[in-house]
Amino acid sequence: MTSAPGSGAPRAGYAVVVPTLVRDTLADCLAALAAAHGPHPDEIVLVDDRTDPDADPDTLEHALTVLGDLRERTTVLRSGGRGPAAARNAGVLAVTSPWTVFLDDDVQVGPHWCDQLIQDVTEAAPDTGAVQGVITVPLPDGRRPTDWERDTAGLARARWTAADMAYRTDVLKQVRGFDERFTRPFREDADLALRVLDAGWRIRRGGRATRHPVRPASRWAAVKQQSGNADDALMRRLHGPHWWAKAVAPRGRIRRHVAITAAGTAALALAAAGRPGAAAAAGAGWAAGTAEFAWARIESGPRTRREVTTVLVTSVLVPPAATWHRLSGLWRHRSAPAWYEAAV
């Protein structure tokens, strides 16, 4: 334990680990951390997870310039593009502080974040293994949020999100860190938290505040996100069929997506078999399911021409993409052992 400047009160030392693809948001993330009031981290571990070993170093150098005096406490590692779970594990290996705080490279800590973090961890009971930050997602004024903006806003309600999560370093080592089979930024934080809880530790919500701005995204983002259904299959294998209840996670629409995909596939197969009546009935089921899905996304949005067009097209593509990824995940992880067993 060390003491905060100007105070006789003890405080816990902490390190900050940031996995990054060196996006434009990284400089803002580090600048907010450097500007935050209170005891700064003993260590900052920046883990460059770009796959290209010859990636432009100037982009990372620019982000590091905003750290000021904290640059001397910063270590940069490379993790080879294996995903945020593996990148965070690589960062933890370099940490010597009693607490490890994970931040995503697209968040901005609040102006008093360092003070609030110290309060969060010093007030943690001995059986508290982790303290979660409070995530806020600023949404636009004067119009309804888009489908992508609403999806990002879900982070404010998510349990145990690694966008701002402080763990006791010893607890991370006890449970062997993140499961590196989660290669996307999805479910790896929930899996870790469930294993920490299963090990007998508590996780509580702290008082520190962190903003998660909505970053620009492709019109096809909703389709690309369906790859996370494979991770849901791994969660089911590791934590049982009711994992979503344990993780306080929404079940999503996977059952409806499977039904819509089945109806569309049946319509094509029946038409090819020369059964137009049955094909029409199956096609009507596909159309009704797709229309309901599209309207559920359009109704709450801004209903601009671009947004409506994007939602209509992606609503046709999302159900088969979700179904494919779920089935491929079930097959790939059909005999997946626990992370501890897999790592031995």
Side-chain angles (χ1 to χ4, degrees), residues 6 35 41 50 123 166 242 260 300 310 317 337:
R50 290 178 291 183
E123 291 179 352
H242 301 296
I260 291 170
S300 302
T310 298
L317 300 176

Side-chain angles (χ1 to χ4, degrees), residues 83-85 181-188 224 227-228 230-231 332:
R181 290 171 294 186
F182 292 94
T183 57
R184 289 168 289 269
F186 190 67
R187 303 302 189 204
E188 82 289 354
K224 295 177 180 178
S227 59
D231 295 331
R332 185 164 66 253

Side-chain angles (χ1 to χ4, degrees), residues 275-290:
R275 300 177 59 185
W286 171 86
T290 301

